């Protein structure tokens, strides 16, 4: 098998040779800078060994939202082309928080820093007991929390609360040592992404699990990518899909409160899963739609980490303003990355994850 970097290079080169230069991808891109970019120039720069600083700056602004892919009649992966372009530049500092301390092969300083994080941000006991463990019990069902085991939300805890309510047997993969590698992949750091992919694939396939459930849309994409690249056979489900599969056993209370739903780019736009969370929300509340919904959703900018934070803050505040304009008092997400990007900005509107809402509405 080729290295990941070689495979991505081959795929991008082949795709660029099929590009019709129609520019629909750039016209669909939410970045204002994209409209001024010459498509021939962009394609040349993607293939160049030494792209210009201006084009690298554009690549690092990319949200990895996939709006470009969705508009391409040739089904080309423009988001992947941007990740490939990033691989040729120097990662801005704003990305660091999303990439460091991940994986099992940490240097001595990173090991100490990660230990301090484990103390400072220690999750509740029901989650902390799973952190970075390497032995898993025999079970069909695995929850994949990885880095979001440290989420200041109680989403992992409530997800397990639903599983306990259902009386299911399960185990949990949690902690930075089990990072899915997707942030590194999207940042164009394919050499750091690949060992993380392989470690996670081996961790999962060394268990008896048939199904892996995750509440992060980016982890979901990573898990599917890893399974397909290394020929695994486990099933990957979003938390929403997993809850939906058990919904007949869940008695949920319904209110007339209007709730709006924020679609994640990866699930609603690129995986066409927008109906699944809506059906669940409608069992608990009255759903009101934002103007930009389903495949037309607006990106939370989560995969651009902290690069140009002021612009990211405006992006998030604008989305919350759009949510409030529906009359809803709550915006629900189904991706913890989206949740964590919006929650700190929420004023006059609550931001909650679908798993939290389901847990709180269970007739216990
Ligand atoms: S992934 Fe999104 S931000 Fe990046 S180029 Fe495509 S449309 Fe633009
Ligand atoms: S939309 Fe597709 S075919 Fe058109 S320029 Fe973009 S990548 Fe090329």
């Amino acid at each position: 098998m080729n290295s990941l970097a070689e495979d991505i290079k081959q795929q991008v080169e082949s795709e660029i040779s099929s590009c019709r230069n129609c520019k629909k991808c750039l016209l669909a891109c939410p970045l204002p800078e994209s409209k001024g970019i010459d498509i021939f120039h962009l394609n040349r720069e993607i293939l160049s060994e030494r792209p210009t600083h201006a084009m690298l700056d554009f690549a690092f602004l990319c949200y990895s939202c996939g709006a470009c892919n969705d508009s391409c009649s040739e089904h080309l992966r423009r988001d992947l082309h941007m990740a490939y372009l990033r691989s040729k530049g120097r990662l801005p500092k704003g990305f660091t928080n999303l990439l460091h301390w991940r994986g099992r092969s940490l240097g001595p300083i990173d090991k100490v820093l990660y230990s301090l994080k484990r103390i400072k941000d220690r999750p509740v006991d029901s989650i902390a007991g799973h952190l970075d463990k390497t032995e898993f019990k025999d079970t069909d069902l695995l929850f994949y929390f990885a880095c979001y085991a440290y989420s200041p939300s109680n989403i992992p805890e409530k997800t397990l609360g639903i599983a306990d309510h259902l009386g299911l047997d399960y185990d949990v993969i949690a902690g930075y040592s089990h990072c899915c590698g997707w942030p590194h992949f999207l940042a164009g750091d394919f050499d750091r992404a690949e060992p993380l992919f392989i470690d996670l694939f081996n961790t999962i396939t060394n268990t008896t699990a048939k199904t892996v459930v995750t509440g992060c849309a980016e982890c979901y994409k990573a898990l599917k990518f890893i399974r397909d690249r290394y020929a695994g056979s486990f099933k990957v489900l979003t938390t929403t899909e997993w809850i939906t599969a058990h919904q007949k056993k869940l008695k949920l209370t319904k209110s007339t409160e209007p709730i709006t739903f924020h679609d994640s780019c990866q699930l609603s736009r690129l995986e066409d899963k927008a109906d699944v969370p809506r059906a669940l929300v409608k069992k608990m509340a009255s759903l009101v739609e934002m103007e930009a919904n389903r495949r037309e959703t607006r990106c939370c900018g989560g995969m651009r980490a902290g690069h140009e934070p002021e612009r990211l803050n405006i992006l998030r505040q604008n989305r919350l303003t759009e949510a409030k304009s529906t009359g809803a008092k709550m915006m629900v997400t189904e991706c913890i990355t989206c949740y964590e990007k919006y929650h700190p900005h929420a004023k006059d509107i609550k931001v909650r994850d679908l798993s939290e809402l389901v847990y709180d509405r269970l007739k216990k």
Side-chain angles (χ1 to χ4, degrees), residues 24-31 34-35 42 58-59 61-71 77-80 82-83 86 265 269-270 299 304:
K24 282 185 190 156
C25 48
L26 291 180
L27 295 175
C29 175
L31 293 167
S34 64
K35 311 298 177 284
L42 174 62
F58 175 61
L61 287 177
C62 171
Y63 300 126
S64 307
C65 71
C68 44
N69 304 0
D70 207 30
S71 66
R77 293 272 318 268
R78 184 60 85 187
D79 65 337
L80 187 64
M82 302 306 279
R86 286 172 169 188
C265 297
R269 176 183 290 132
L270 298 174
C299 183
R304 207 174 81 192

Side-chain angles (χ1 to χ4, degrees), residues 89-203:
R90 193 167 163 187
L91 215 54
K93 268 196 184 146
F95 281 85
T96 318
N97 274 348
L98 201 56
L99 307 184
H100 66 180
W101 311 338
R102 270 38 176 203
R104 296 185 199 170
S105 312
L106 299 183
I109 294 175
D110 281 343
K111 266 189 191 154
V112 171
L113 291 172
Y114 183 44
S115 305
L116 292 174
K117 179 179 175 62
R118 283 180 60 139
I119 297 166
K120 181 171 153 280
D121 297 333
R122 183 183 156 84
V124 294
D125 287 348
S126 61
I127 306 299
H130 296 291
L131 286 177
D132 303 306
K133 69 183 188 187
T134 51
E135 300 283 327
F136 299 88
K137 67 175 174 182
D138 287 351
T139 176
D140 285 355
L141 178 63
L142 276 178
F143 288 98
Y144 180 70
F145 296 156
C147 61
Y148 82 77
Y150 292 99
S151 168
S153 74
N154 48 19
I155 294 169
E157 192 189 349
K158 293 209 168 177
T159 303
L160 297 188
I162 298 169
D164 292 338
H165 179 84
L166 287 163
L168 299 178
D169 188 48
Y170 60 82
D171 210 339
V172 178
I173 300 182
Y176 279 24
S177 64
H178 295 299
C179 174
C180 67
W182 206 240
H184 310 75
F185 179 78
L186 294 179
D189 194 342
F190 305 125
D191 291 339
R192 276 170 80 194
E194 186 160 34
L196 296 170
F197 286 175
I198 293 170
D199 278 351
L200 179 56
F201 179 80
N202 288 335
T203 298

Side-chain angles (χ1 to χ4, degrees), residues 15-16 18-26 39 43 68-69 71-78 81:
E15 289 199 6
I16 295 288
S18 318
C19 175
R20 296 167 56 235
N21 302 306
C22 66
K23 203 177 169 174
K24 282 185 190 156
C25 48
L26 291 180
I39 192 73
N43 284 345
C68 44
N69 304 0
S71 66
C72 178
S73 56
E74 305 303 303
H75 308 292
L76 304 186
R77 293 272 318 268
R78 184 60 85 187
H81 306 173

